Amino acid sequence: MHQLKLLKTFHPLTAIAVTPQAVKLLLPVAETLTGKLLLSESLAEELNLGGNPAVETYDHSLAMAIEERWSTHKALIFGLATGAVVRLIAPLLHDKQTDPAVVVVDAMGTSVISLLSGHQGGGDRLAEIVAEQLQGKAILTGGANGLGQIAVDCLGIPFGWRRGTGDWTAVSAALASQKPVAVQQTAGSTLWQGYLPPGHGFNFSGTEATAATLTITVQDNLPEHQGHPMAQWHPRLLWVGMGCVRGTDLALLEKALLEVLARENFSPLAIAGLASVHLKADEVGMQQLAQKYDLPFVTFSAKQLAAQSVPNPSAVVNQEVGTPSVAEAAALTATQVYGEGGKLIVEKVIVKQDQQAVTVAIAQGKREYIGKPGQLWLVGTGPGELSQISPAARTAIREADVLIGYGLYLDLIDPLRRPGQICETFPLTQERQRCQRAIELAQWGLTVAVLSSGDCGIYGMAGLVLEELEKVGWDGQTPGVEVFPGISAFQAAAARLGAPLMHDFCAISLSDLLTPREKILQRLTAAAQADFVTALYNPKSQKRTVLIEQAQAIFLQWRSTDTPVALVRSVYRRDETIVRTTLAEMLDFPIDMLTVVLIGNSNTYNYQDYLITPRGYYANA
Ligand code: SAH
């Protein structure tokens, strides 16, 4: 089975079922989410599920099986009574930073309750995804959700920000009770500010009296305010360059780092990563330091470092390593590679102890390090009605950090958008810029859904994005690309008409923006001659009116005047119109860019209100 990359967000994940009905409901959920289904050995035997790779069994107690998974799992989905779940997990609860997301599904799959770790653990989003799959309803009771608001404690997750100290509960509570919260952002992307839902409660100007403060900063300096709760996010902008005498241990490296950070009031949570020279790639202390703080450890060649101009070059170092600077140059280089450039904000500090010595320097990047590979999801949103979007595409739309598409398509999927989701619209003519923007954001580390109406691979954005990726030398891996098919206009139109595409068919776009006219005419002739049922996309615009006339003339050379033709406009949208006509008369009716034109083959006929192209079997019988 094809496993959606996007749904690995909640790994490791286990769904738990204790009845055959719950197994029926949750096995497909576990499979799509690339997780496991846990059930008792006897139930697995009864249902003959022993060989299923997604199935895990427990032989004694369910409570023990849950306990074993509690600290390692990101998500647990229970198919049993909420009360039973509460009793099972009560002894295991620790805190909302580490407890897994817990979701409970009722026996029919109609209600999907986000029970635990709804915000930071992502339980609310998981509940929405599961509800989406089961066509049920997600029950979310967290403060921000009820109001269609974003949660302060989730705000920075897409940008890889780290949650710092503060009274998160009180700041969240202030927003949930619709009290204004001051935002002081001195670092990190401000992209999020442009897409806040109405009535969001954030105050950026500092003019109003506020009930709490959220700071977004690389510093760690919550001022004390009696009765005024504060919390801080830390965008990862700081690249720490380090050099050391071979064998310097973790203790001294850490001491040096923390001393430098403390001196400048920088939060360790604002560190993007550690950087050094290739020679140090195997330096055990540095590796341990990176691991301890959950940071990448990147190294550069001496030549690369030597090219940087730094305030404190050293002739001795140059002689030993081949670059006059390690710490300063590595910090700067890292900002150039990962942070869109930057500047040195802490010059080299040397910390010595016995035979050991460390140099530390810090550079601040222009753009924060997200720390996860971005994704590009190329999503077909179908003809227009929400029910005609595939569940996988709906999930992609809901999960993406950023949506990119034409205004009209974004409006059509509006109910699927999450509060606070970044949505960038572009005018119809700027496809290329749109692709480049999507790629840029995904290369940075965001999950970007590029939306096309119908199918994204049929006169849509999928090809354009892949072509642009090729131009920038994409390695095929990062950002990850996934295509989500959609119902194309010709399929949607055909469904409204009956069965006109029942035999060989083709689609031809009459837009000559990207295709030479000659080629279009040639294909029209070939399709007409070969008796294909033909769907004409982009049939006529205000400027381009001749091609549809030429198309009609070409088809009339090969097909009879009474060949059935359907003009289907805005199919599955509120203003849908369908005109059933003939090849001879088709131009007597309005045709525009929201219309798809279906021309029958020589056997296509009308019966009642239905258009039928014979499948062909009867003729042979
Ligand atoms: N990717 C889209 C096609 C985009 S090209 C798809 O797979 O459907 C744009 C053309 O598609 C329009 O000019 C029109 O011919 C057709 N089209 C798209 N949506 C339509 C709709 N809802 N009703 C009728 N035609 C539609």
Side-chain angles (χ1 to χ4, degrees), residues 503-586:
H503 217 279
D504 302 335
F505 60 87
C506 68
I508 298 177
S509 165
L510 297 192
S511 168
D512 58 356
L513 279 178
L514 302 167
T515 314
R517 249 161 204 255
E518 274 315 297
K519 185 131 248 172
I520 299 173
L521 294 174
Q522 195 187 356
R523 287 186 178 155
L524 285 167
T525 307
Q529 185 177 5
D531 204 26
F532 281 108
V533 178
T534 303
L536 301 179
Y537 280 66
N538 302 306
K540 187 176 170 186
S541 71
Q542 274 167 354
K543 283 198 208 124
R544 184 171 42 72
T545 55
V546 182
L547 263 162
I548 187 74
E549 290 165 15
Q550 289 174 308
Q552 182 201 35
I554 290 170
F555 273 81
L556 279 171
Q557 287 172 27
W558 303 93
R559 288 185 210 176
S560 68
T561 49
D562 60 355
T563 304
V565 168
L567 313 175
V568 185
R569 185 177 191 277
S570 290
V571 57
Y572 284 106
R573 294 180 193 160
R574 205 168 297 149
D575 49 346
E576 176 186 282
T577 54
I578 299 177
V579 174
R580 293 173 181 78
T581 173
T582 61
L583 194 53
E585 287 165 9
M586 60 181 266

XYZ file of all heavy atoms in Angstrom, residues 503-586:
674
model
N -15.566 5.553 -24.153
C -14.579 4.956 -25.063
C -13.370 5.880 -25.163
O -13.291 6.868 -24.438
C -15.220 4.687 -26.425
C -14.716 3.419 -27.033
N -13.519 3.355 -27.699
C -15.232 2.168 -27.053
C -13.314 2.123 -28.119
N -14.332 1.365 -27.734
N -12.438 5.575 -26.034
C -11.179 6.337 -26.086
C -11.437 7.838 -26.202
O -12.265 8.277 -26.989
C -10.348 5.873 -27.285
C -10.057 4.384 -27.199
O -10.057 3.849 -26.069
O -9.869 3.756 -28.254
N -10.722 8.569 -25.417
C -10.959 10.017 -25.398
C -9.633 10.745 -25.267
O -8.605 10.150 -24.938
C -11.880 10.397 -24.241
C -11.320 10.034 -22.896
C -10.482 10.903 -22.222
C -11.627 8.812 -22.317
C -9.948 10.571 -20.992
C -11.104 8.470 -21.086
C -10.261 9.342 -20.423
N -9.667 12.042 -25.501
C -8.468 12.840 -25.265
C -8.852 14.233 -24.805
O -10.001 14.636 -24.912
C -7.601 12.905 -26.511
S -8.342 13.839 -27.847
N -7.880 14.933 -24.248
C -8.086 16.318 -23.839
C -7.134 17.184 -24.643
O -5.976 16.814 -24.854
C -7.807 16.466 -22.356
N -7.629 18.316 -25.093
C -6.785 19.269 -25.822
C -7.047 20.651 -25.239
O -8.203 21.051 -25.079
C -7.113 19.259 -27.335
C -6.822 17.870 -27.920
C -6.305 20.332 -28.068
C -7.174 17.735 -29.389
N -5.977 21.337 -24.885
C -6.141 22.700 -24.396
C -6.013 23.645 -25.574
O -5.096 23.526 -26.388
C -5.069 23.022 -23.360
O -5.027 24.422 -23.164
N -6.940 24.596 -25.661
C -6.877 25.564 -26.765
C -6.059 26.796 -26.385
O -6.012 27.755 -27.138
C -8.293 25.973 -27.186
C -9.186 24.848 -27.741
C -10.438 25.438 -28.384
C -8.450 23.989 -28.756
N -5.434 26.769 -25.223
C -4.626 27.931 -24.843
C -3.306 27.924 -25.608
O -2.547 26.953 -25.558
C -4.336 27.897 -23.346
O -3.332 28.853 -23.072
N -3.046 29.007 -26.319
C -1.795 29.070 -27.089
C -0.727 29.882 -26.366
O 0.245 30.317 -26.968
C -2.050 29.612 -28.503
C -2.682 30.989 -28.466
O -2.987 31.480 -27.363
O -2.873 31.575 -29.555
N -0.916 30.054 -25.067
C 0.104 30.781 -24.301
C 1.399 29.987 -24.229
O 2.485 30.527 -24.357
C -0.383 31.023 -22.871
C -1.318 32.200 -22.667
C -1.749 32.280 -21.206
C -0.647 33.491 -23.110
N 1.267 28.690 -23.989
C 2.457 27.858 -23.818
C 2.618 26.831 -24.937
O 3.573 26.072 -24.955
C 2.386 27.130 -22.461
C 2.257 28.046 -21.242
C 1.865 27.265 -19.991
C 3.565 28.791 -20.982
N 1.651 26.770 -25.865
C 1.709 25.802 -26.956
C 1.513 26.551 -28.277
O 0.606 27.376 -28.379
C 0.557 24.778 -26.822
O 0.505 24.338 -25.462
C 0.746 23.580 -27.718
N 2.347 26.268 -29.278
C 2.147 26.949 -30.572
C 0.806 26.547 -31.207
O 0.376 25.407 -31.088
C 3.309 26.433 -31.429
C 4.203 25.666 -30.535
C 3.496 25.370 -29.267
N 0.178 27.517 -31.850
C -1.114 27.282 -32.498
C -1.082 26.084 -33.455
O -2.020 25.285 -33.503
C -1.481 28.514 -33.334
C -2.644 29.245 -32.759
C -2.704 30.663 -33.282
N -3.440 31.429 -32.300
C -4.701 31.818 -32.473
N -5.327 31.576 -33.609
N -5.328 32.470 -31.530
N 0.013 26.013 -34.217
C 0.169 24.930 -35.193
C -0.054 23.566 -34.550
O -0.734 22.699 -35.069
C 1.598 24.970 -35.760
C 1.760 25.894 -36.933
C 0.607 25.716 -37.910
O 0.493 24.593 -38.452
O -0.193 26.663 -38.113
N 0.574 23.422 -33.389
C 0.515 22.146 -32.674
C -0.916 21.864 -32.229
O -1.403 20.732 -32.307
C 1.445 22.238 -31.454
C 1.566 20.963 -30.703
C 3.017 20.618 -30.435
C 3.435 19.382 -31.219
N 4.852 19.144 -31.138
N -1.591 22.908 -31.778
C -2.976 22.729 -31.312
C -3.851 22.271 -32.485
O -4.619 21.314 -32.372
C -3.516 24.043 -30.710
C -2.660 24.452 -29.499
C -4.980 23.895 -30.303
C -3.003 25.820 -28.924
N -3.684 22.934 -33.622
C -4.502 22.596 -34.792
C -4.202 21.166 -35.255
O -5.101 20.405 -35.613
C -4.235 23.594 -35.925
C -4.687 25.033 -35.607
C -4.259 25.994 -36.706
C -6.199 25.095 -35.389
N -2.941 20.830 -35.211
C -2.522 19.488 -35.612
C -3.166 18.424 -34.711
O -3.665 17.401 -35.180
C -1.004 19.457 -35.449
C -0.299 18.337 -36.115
C 1.192 18.369 -35.700
O 1.655 19.267 -34.989
N 1.918 17.370 -36.149
N -3.181 18.695 -33.427
C -3.762 17.719 -32.495
C -5.277 17.646 -32.645
O -5.866 16.570 -32.520
C -3.369 18.064 -31.058
C -1.906 17.739 -30.829
C -1.483 17.910 -29.398
N -0.076 17.526 -29.281
C 0.748 17.965 -28.349
N 0.309 18.794 -27.428
N 2.004 17.574 -28.330
N -5.894 18.793 -32.888
C -7.345 18.794 -33.110
C -7.678 17.907 -34.315
O -8.604 17.090 -34.274
C -7.847 20.223 -33.354
C -7.932 21.132 -32.111
C -8.131 22.587 -32.518
C -9.057 20.676 -31.182
N -6.905 18.076 -35.365
C -7.140 17.295 -36.583
C -6.978 15.799 -36.304
O -7.809 14.982 -36.696
C -6.145 17.726 -37.690
O -6.238 19.141 -37.840
C -6.450 17.043 -39.013
N -5.896 15.479 -35.592
C -5.635 14.063 -35.303
C -6.760 13.455 -34.463
O -7.226 12.342 -34.729
C -4.302 13.930 -34.573
N -7.215 14.213 -33.460
C -8.275 13.704 -32.580
C -9.574 13.537 -33.353
O -10.285 12.532 -33.205
C -8.476 14.655 -31.396
N -9.880 14.521 -34.195
C -11.129 14.476 -34.969
C -11.093 13.285 -35.921
O -12.024 12.487 -35.997
C -11.302 15.783 -35.735
N -9.976 13.154 -36.582
C -9.822 12.089 -37.571
C -9.880 10.709 -36.913
O -10.487 9.783 -37.443
C -8.474 12.285 -38.260
C -8.243 11.332 -39.385
C -6.910 11.627 -40.081
O -6.144 12.479 -39.667
N -6.658 10.910 -41.163
N -9.265 10.582 -35.742
C -9.192 9.268 -35.081
C -10.453 8.955 -34.274
O -10.503 7.958 -33.571
C -7.962 9.212 -34.190
N -11.411 9.819 -34.336
C -12.712 9.592 -33.683
C -12.635 9.496 -32.155
O -13.360 8.747 -31.526
C -13.389 8.336 -34.266
C -14.911 8.388 -34.073
O -15.459 9.519 -33.981
O -15.524 7.317 -33.996
N -11.723 10.240 -31.576
C -11.674 10.332 -30.109
C -12.810 11.210 -29.598
O -13.082 12.267 -30.177
C -10.364 11.002 -29.653
C -9.174 10.100 -29.652
C -8.176 10.242 -30.613
C -9.026 9.134 -28.671
C -7.065 9.425 -30.600
C -7.908 8.307 -28.662
C -6.921 8.447 -29.628
N -13.442 10.793 -28.514
C -14.250 11.758 -27.757
C -13.249 12.809 -27.274
O -12.156 12.454 -26.827
C -14.923 11.090 -26.534
C -15.710 12.112 -25.729
C -15.799 9.928 -26.977
N -13.593 14.082 -27.396
C -12.579 15.101 -27.122
C -13.071 16.144 -26.129
O -14.178 16.680 -26.277
C -12.163 15.794 -28.434
O -11.702 14.783 -29.341
C -11.035 16.799 -28.205
N -12.252 16.395 -25.101
C -12.558 17.462 -24.134
C -11.665 18.647 -24.455
O -10.443 18.497 -24.533
C -12.288 16.969 -22.723
N -12.277 19.808 -24.673
C -11.481 21.011 -24.936
C -11.387 21.838 -23.664
O -12.392 22.290 -23.122
C -12.118 21.837 -26.053
C -12.293 21.131 -27.403
C -12.966 22.068 -28.412
C -10.943 20.651 -27.940
N -10.159 22.005 -23.177
C -9.894 22.855 -22.020
C -9.525 24.245 -22.519
O -9.081 24.414 -23.658
C -8.723 22.298 -21.196
C -9.084 21.148 -20.280
C -9.484 19.930 -20.795
C -9.009 21.283 -18.893
C -9.800 18.869 -19.959
C -9.319 20.232 -18.042
C -9.718 19.029 -18.577
O -10.025 17.989 -17.741
N -9.646 25.227 -21.649
C -9.315 26.617 -22.002
C -9.900 26.977 -23.374
O -9.178 27.460 -24.249
C -7.796 26.825 -22.034
C -7.146 26.483 -20.699
O -7.527 26.997 -19.660
N -6.182 25.576 -20.734
N -11.189 26.744 -23.591
C -11.709 26.818 -24.959
C -11.712 28.230 -25.544
O -11.499 28.384 -26.739
C -13.139 26.284 -24.820
C -13.498 26.516 -23.394
C -12.231 26.363 -22.619
N -11.912 29.218 -24.714
C -12.090 30.562 -25.283
C -11.883 31.591 -24.188
O -12.456 31.479 -23.106
C -13.522 30.657 -25.802
C -13.853 31.900 -26.579
C -15.280 31.776 -27.095
C -15.768 33.077 -27.683
N -17.189 32.998 -28.042
N -11.059 32.579 -24.474
C -10.903 33.673 -23.522
C -11.358 34.953 -24.209
O -11.718 34.938 -25.386
C -9.442 33.789 -23.090
O -8.674 34.290 -24.158
N -11.316 36.047 -23.479
C -11.749 37.304 -24.096
C -10.891 37.666 -25.296
O -11.376 38.162 -26.302
C -11.719 38.424 -23.060
C -13.025 38.455 -22.275
C -12.943 39.330 -21.045
O -11.873 39.829 -20.705
N -14.067 39.499 -20.388
N -9.598 37.386 -25.194
C -8.690 37.746 -26.289
C -8.644 36.666 -27.358
O -8.424 36.957 -28.529
C -7.270 37.924 -25.736
C -7.068 39.221 -25.012
C -5.559 39.501 -24.906
C -5.272 40.344 -23.670
N -4.320 39.773 -22.766
N -8.800 35.431 -26.949
C -8.580 34.328 -27.866
C -9.927 33.690 -28.212
O -10.487 32.927 -27.433
C -7.645 33.311 -27.185
C -7.242 32.161 -28.036
C -6.162 31.325 -27.362
N -6.389 31.116 -25.931
C -7.323 30.340 -25.429
N -8.138 29.673 -26.232
N -7.464 30.214 -24.119
N -10.458 34.042 -29.364
C -11.804 33.579 -29.717
C -11.815 32.728 -30.981
O -12.803 32.069 -31.282
C -12.725 34.786 -29.946
O -12.114 35.617 -30.942
C -12.923 35.597 -28.679
N -10.724 32.734 -31.716
C -10.724 32.098 -33.039
C -10.532 30.581 -32.953
O -11.131 29.829 -33.720
C -9.614 32.716 -33.929
C -9.629 32.096 -35.315
C -9.801 34.214 -34.016
N -9.720 30.149 -31.986
C -9.366 28.728 -31.953
C -10.582 27.814 -31.789
O -10.624 26.737 -32.376
C -8.341 28.465 -30.850
C -6.911 28.432 -31.374
C -5.906 28.614 -30.245
C -6.624 27.117 -32.114
N -11.560 28.249 -31.032
C -12.728 27.395 -30.841
C -13.502 27.264 -32.166
O -14.053 26.208 -32.481
C -13.630 27.907 -29.678
C -14.754 26.928 -29.354
C -14.206 29.281 -29.955
C -14.336 25.692 -28.639
N -13.469 28.345 -32.959
C -14.122 28.278 -34.283
C -13.355 27.325 -35.195
O -13.943 26.518 -35.915
C -14.167 29.674 -34.921
C -15.135 30.601 -34.198
C -14.942 32.064 -34.564
O -14.265 32.345 -35.580
O -15.468 32.921 -33.817
N -12.032 27.421 -35.123
C -11.216 26.515 -35.931
C -11.414 25.063 -35.497
O -11.496 24.157 -36.332
C -9.736 26.896 -35.824
C -9.420 28.200 -36.551
C -7.984 28.637 -36.306
O -7.548 28.720 -35.161
N -7.259 28.932 -37.374
N -11.545 24.883 -34.189
C -11.753 23.526 -33.674
C -13.053 22.957 -34.231
O -13.104 21.816 -34.707
C -11.791 23.544 -32.142
N -14.097 23.769 -34.191
C -15.387 23.306 -34.711
C -15.256 22.929 -36.193
O -15.706 21.864 -36.630
C -16.443 24.401 -34.539
C -17.810 23.955 -35.015
C -18.712 25.138 -35.336
O -18.242 26.179 -35.817
N -20.003 24.966 -35.071
N -14.599 23.809 -36.950
C -14.459 23.573 -38.393
C -13.707 22.265 -38.662
O -14.091 21.471 -39.530
C -13.730 24.755 -39.031
N -12.657 22.028 -37.874
C -11.875 20.794 -38.066
C -12.728 19.563 -37.768
O -12.756 18.604 -38.538
C -10.612 20.817 -37.174
C -9.621 21.852 -37.701
C -9.969 19.441 -37.098
C -8.452 22.144 -36.779
N -13.450 19.613 -36.651
C -14.280 18.452 -36.300
C -15.378 18.218 -37.335
O -15.732 17.075 -37.637
C -14.853 18.585 -34.875
C -13.911 18.056 -33.834
C -12.847 18.831 -33.382
C -14.050 16.768 -33.339
C -11.955 18.336 -32.447
C -13.158 16.256 -32.407
C -12.101 17.041 -31.954
N -15.898 19.318 -37.906
C -16.965 19.158 -38.915
C -16.464 18.452 -40.181
O -17.234 17.859 -40.920
C -17.574 20.522 -39.261
C -18.628 21.026 -38.251
C -19.018 22.467 -38.544
C -19.863 20.109 -38.240
N -15.145 18.519 -40.386
C -14.605 17.797 -41.546
C -14.686 16.281 -41.358
O -14.682 15.525 -42.310
C -13.126 18.149 -41.750
C -12.900 19.531 -42.308
C -11.403 19.863 -42.284
O -10.558 18.982 -42.343
N -11.097 21.145 -42.181
N -14.696 15.837 -40.101
C -14.619 14.396 -39.835
C -15.867 13.826 -39.168
O -16.049 12.619 -39.125
C -13.400 14.099 -38.946
C -12.119 14.593 -39.547
C -11.522 15.797 -39.321
C -11.310 13.920 -40.502
N -10.382 15.930 -40.056
C -10.213 14.770 -40.805
C -11.378 12.666 -41.150
C -9.216 14.429 -41.705
C -10.370 12.329 -42.038
C -9.314 13.205 -42.311
N -16.679 14.675 -38.580
C -17.866 14.178 -37.856
C -19.119 14.895 -38.342
O -19.041 16.036 -38.810
C -17.706 14.377 -36.348
C -16.684 13.395 -35.831
C -16.510 13.382 -34.349
N -15.120 13.000 -34.091
C -14.547 12.949 -32.930
N -15.249 13.267 -31.845
N -13.295 12.587 -32.805
N -20.257 14.229 -38.139
C -21.500 14.794 -38.669
C -21.930 16.022 -37.870
O -21.515 16.205 -36.722
C -22.603 13.736 -38.648
O -22.925 13.468 -37.308
N -22.747 16.839 -38.465
C -23.201 18.081 -37.832
C -23.970 17.824 -36.541
O -23.960 18.644 -35.653
C -24.129 18.853 -38.796
O -25.110 17.930 -39.292
C -23.351 19.457 -39.944
N -24.643 16.673 -36.453
C -25.449 16.431 -35.249
C -24.696 15.657 -34.161
O -25.282 15.160 -33.210
C -26.764 15.731 -35.606
C -26.492 14.383 -36.276
O -25.289 14.066 -36.530
O -27.448 13.641 -36.538
N -23.368 15.587 -34.275
C -22.569 14.974 -33.202
C -22.872 15.691 -31.882
O -22.826 16.924 -31.825
C -21.058 15.130 -33.500
O -20.798 14.577 -34.775
C -20.201 14.463 -32.438
N -23.203 14.938 -30.824
C -23.511 15.615 -29.559
C -22.297 16.372 -29.004
O -21.167 15.863 -29.026
C -23.881 14.466 -28.621
C -24.215 13.322 -29.502
C -23.395 13.482 -30.736
N -22.555 17.576 -28.526
C -21.533 18.394 -27.870
C -22.140 18.918 -26.577
O -23.323 19.271 -26.546
C -21.105 19.573 -28.775
C -20.265 20.594 -27.990
C -20.303 19.071 -29.977
N -21.350 18.933 -25.504
C -21.836 19.520 -24.241
C -20.896 20.636 -23.815
O -19.670 20.508 -23.930
C -21.906 18.449 -23.162
N -21.496 21.734 -23.392
C -20.718 22.854 -22.858
C -20.984 22.883 -21.360
O -22.098 23.156 -20.927
C -21.175 24.172 -23.484
C -21.344 24.164 -25.009
C -21.921 25.493 -25.489
C -20.001 23.880 -25.691
N -19.977 22.535 -20.592
C -20.191 22.416 -19.148
C -19.378 23.502 -18.452
O -18.154 23.538 -18.559
C -19.776 21.021 -18.644
C -20.131 20.876 -17.172
C -20.466 19.943 -19.459
N -20.094 24.377 -17.784
C -19.430 25.536 -17.169
C -19.501 25.440 -15.645
O -20.533 25.099 -15.090
C -20.122 26.814 -17.626
C -19.448 28.068 -17.148
C -20.135 29.313 -17.690
N -19.323 30.481 -17.437
C -19.320 31.144 -16.281
N -20.100 30.752 -15.298
N -18.525 32.188 -16.116
N -18.370 25.713 -15.008
C -18.303 25.732 -13.534
C -18.919 24.490 -12.921
O -19.714 24.573 -11.982
C -18.996 26.982 -12.975
O -18.238 28.106 -13.283
N -18.536 23.359 -13.448
C -19.127 22.115 -12.969
C -18.846 21.914 -11.468
O -17.766 22.230 -10.980
C -18.636 20.917 -13.829
C -17.118 20.817 -13.838
C -19.263 19.615 -13.391
N -19.858 21.453 -10.753
C -19.827 21.249 -9.303
C -19.613 22.540 -8.513
O -19.253 22.503 -7.342
C -18.764 20.225 -8.890
C -19.180 18.799 -9.176
C -18.617 18.095 -10.240
C -20.137 18.167 -8.398
C -18.997 16.793 -10.510
C -20.523 16.860 -8.671
C -19.949 16.181 -9.722
O -20.322 14.893 -9.975
N -19.809 23.678 -9.194
C -19.759 24.923 -8.430
C -21.171 25.479 -8.386
O -22.063 25.007 -9.083
C -18.808 25.936 -9.087
C -17.373 25.454 -9.040
C -16.397 26.409 -9.676
N -15.109 25.737 -9.854
C -14.174 26.130 -10.707
N -14.361 27.198 -11.460
N -13.048 25.461 -10.802
N -21.333 26.523 -7.586
C -22.684 27.037 -7.363
C -23.333 27.492 -8.665
O -24.526 27.354 -8.860
C -22.622 28.182 -6.360
C -23.919 28.361 -5.622
C -23.758 29.300 -4.448
N -22.829 28.780 -3.460
C -22.049 29.554 -2.690
N -22.113 30.847 -2.797
N -21.236 29.007 -1.824
N -22.532 28.047 -9.578
C -23.101 28.605 -10.810
C -22.956 27.651 -11.999
O -22.829 28.081 -13.140
C -22.443 29.954 -11.121
C -20.924 29.864 -11.035
O -20.411 28.847 -10.488
O -20.233 30.785 -11.507
N -22.989 26.348 -11.712
C -22.851 25.355 -12.785
C -23.924 25.542 -13.866
O -25.088 25.741 -13.560
C -22.990 23.949 -12.176
C -22.947 22.837 -13.208
C -23.226 21.465 -12.581
O -22.314 20.911 -11.954
O -24.351 20.961 -12.718
N -23.510 25.486 -15.149
C -24.497 25.435 -16.235
C -24.072 24.367 -17.230
O -22.878 24.164 -17.476
C -24.616 26.767 -17.012
O -23.316 27.135 -17.461
C -25.206 27.869 -16.176
N -25.059 23.676 -17.775
C -24.772 22.619 -18.743
C -25.621 22.857 -19.978
O -26.838 23.009 -19.881
C -25.109 21.237 -18.150
C -24.245 20.987 -16.899
C -24.903 20.138 -19.186
C -24.538 19.683 -16.200
N -24.973 22.933 -21.113
C -25.702 23.091 -22.373
C -25.429 21.859 -23.222
O -24.269 21.512 -23.475
C -25.225 24.363 -23.125
C -25.877 24.440 -24.503
C -25.520 25.609 -22.317
N -26.529 21.180 -23.627
C -26.359 20.039 -24.541
C -26.705 20.526 -25.930
O -27.808 21.013 -26.172
C -27.295 18.896 -24.139
C -26.942 18.278 -22.818
C -27.999 17.265 -22.402
N -27.666 16.689 -21.105
C -27.853 17.292 -19.957
N -28.385 18.505 -19.920
N -27.528 16.700 -18.828
N -25.775 20.391 -26.856
C -26.004 20.935 -28.188
C -25.375 19.984 -29.212
O -25.192 18.797 -28.937
C -25.445 22.384 -28.271
O -25.522 22.855 -29.604
C -24.009 22.479 -27.800
N -25.081 20.506 -30.381
C -24.483 19.677 -31.433
C -23.259 20.383 -32.000
O -23.057 21.578 -31.757
C -25.462 19.470 -32.601
O -25.767 20.760 -33.149
C -26.726 18.760 -32.158
N -22.504 19.650 -32.747
C -21.294 20.209 -33.343
C -21.631 21.433 -34.207
O -20.932 22.448 -34.170
C -20.607 19.116 -34.187
C -19.177 19.375 -34.625
C -18.272 19.736 -33.454
C -18.616 18.136 -35.349
N -22.742 21.355 -34.931
C -23.105 22.464 -35.820
C -23.478 23.717 -35.037
O -23.162 24.834 -35.451
C -24.255 22.055 -36.727
N -24.123 23.524 -33.892
C -24.693 24.682 -33.183
C -23.912 25.130 -31.959
O -24.297 26.075 -31.277
C -26.143 24.349 -32.773
C -27.075 24.354 -33.962
C -28.406 23.687 -33.673
O -28.686 23.363 -32.495
O -29.150 23.480 -34.644
N -22.822 24.459 -31.663
C -22.138 24.715 -30.388
C -21.721 26.175 -30.182
O -21.679 26.659 -29.049
C -20.912 23.794 -30.228
C -19.864 23.950 -31.313
S -18.480 22.811 -31.072
C -17.351 23.855 -30.163
